[in-house]
């Protein structure tokens, strides 16, 4: 796929809106096929954004918008909330935490297992732009492992 990149007046690289919309559709399709949702956190504004698939995986109401970090943690099993928050604090220190297996909160529905991954997007200067993460539903895999 040929990607045309433009430069804004501020010097930032941009892509045309039509191409951006196409990339978002492809991302949504790929996330649904992988049973994976993604999130971003802007440390400068303090705002989260979630992919549509993450709302589905966590059985969250999209109309309510992406929650804050404490509310996000509450989607996980009470014993997994502290490890999730700890991983987020690791991101805040500028380090990338290792992937973790988290369970869904039993008060919110049937037990699910998730593989949580994390990364940091930085400018070339090293300044943090975004924290990003993925939550992949690995429930079937965990159930197979438990049957063995």
């Amino acid at each position: 796929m040929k990607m045309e990149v433009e430069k804004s007046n501020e010097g930032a690289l941009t892509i045309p809106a039509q191409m951006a919309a196409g990339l978002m559709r492809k991302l949504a399709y790929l996330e649904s096929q992988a049973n994976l949702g993604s999130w971003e956190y802007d440390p400068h504004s303090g705002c989260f954004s979630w992919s549509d698939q993450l709302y589905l995986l966590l059985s969250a109401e999209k109309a309510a918008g992406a929650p804050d970090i404490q509310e996000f943690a509450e989607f996980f099993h009470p014993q997994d909330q502290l490890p999730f928050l700890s991983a987020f604090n690791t991101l805040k220190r500028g380090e990338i935490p290792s992937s973790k297996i988290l369970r869904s909160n039993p008060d919110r529905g049937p037990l699910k297992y998730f593989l949580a991954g994390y990364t940091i997007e930085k400018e070339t200067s090293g300044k943090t732009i975004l924290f990003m993460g993925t939550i992949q539903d690995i429930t079937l895999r965990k159930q197979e492992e438990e049957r063995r």
Side-chain angles (χ1 to χ4, degrees):
M1 167 169 60
K2 183 179 176 191
M3 185 175 290
E4 294 184 27
V5 178
E6 302 169 354
K7 217 171 207 177
S8 70
N9 292 338
E10 296 83 32
L13 297 177
T14 62
I15 58 174
Q18 184 177 5
M19 186 176 289
L23 290 171
M24 293 304 293
R25 281 191 306 276
K26 287 176 186 170
L27 176 61
Y29 171 75
L30 294 171
E31 282 191 358
S32 70
Q33 293 302 300
N35 218 11
L36 176 135
S38 60
W39 57 267
E40 294 182 347
Y41 176 79
D42 181 340
H44 308 291
S45 70
C47 293
F48 271 99
S49 62
W50 284 16
S51 69
D52 289 346
Q53 186 67 19
L54 186 56
Y55 285 99
L56 289 172
L57 289 174
L58 296 178
S59 300
E61 289 294 325
K62 186 175 179 183
D68 64 25
I69 187 61
Q70 190 61 47
E71 293 168 324
F72 192 174
E74 291 171 7
F75 282 93
F76 303 112
H77 191 284
Q79 293 175 343
D80 296 342
Q81 291 174 14
L82 188 57
F84 175 75
L85 293 169
S86 177
F88 189 77
N89 286 331
T90 300
L91 289 169
K92 289 171 106 174
R93 290 193 307 272
E95 303 167 18
I96 298 174
S98 59
S99 296
K100 301 205 179 323
I101 293 178
L102 305 170
R103 296 163 292 171
S104 61
N105 188 328
D107 293 338
R108 294 180 176 261
L111 180 66
K112 295 181 184 178
Y113 291 88
F114 302 109
L115 179 62
Y118 313 90
T119 193
I120 300 172
E121 183 178 338
K122 295 184 178 189
E123 293 179 347
T124 54
S125 67
K127 180 182 174 189
T128 297
I129 300 171
L130 288 172
F131 303 149
M132 297 180 289
T134 56
I135 303 291
Q136 184 175 26
D137 187 337
I138 60 167
T139 304
L140 293 176
R141 183 172 80 189
K142 289 295 283 182
Q143 289 170 341
E144 284 293 319
E145 289 173 5
E146 289 172 2
R147 279 193 275 261
R148 293 182 191 158

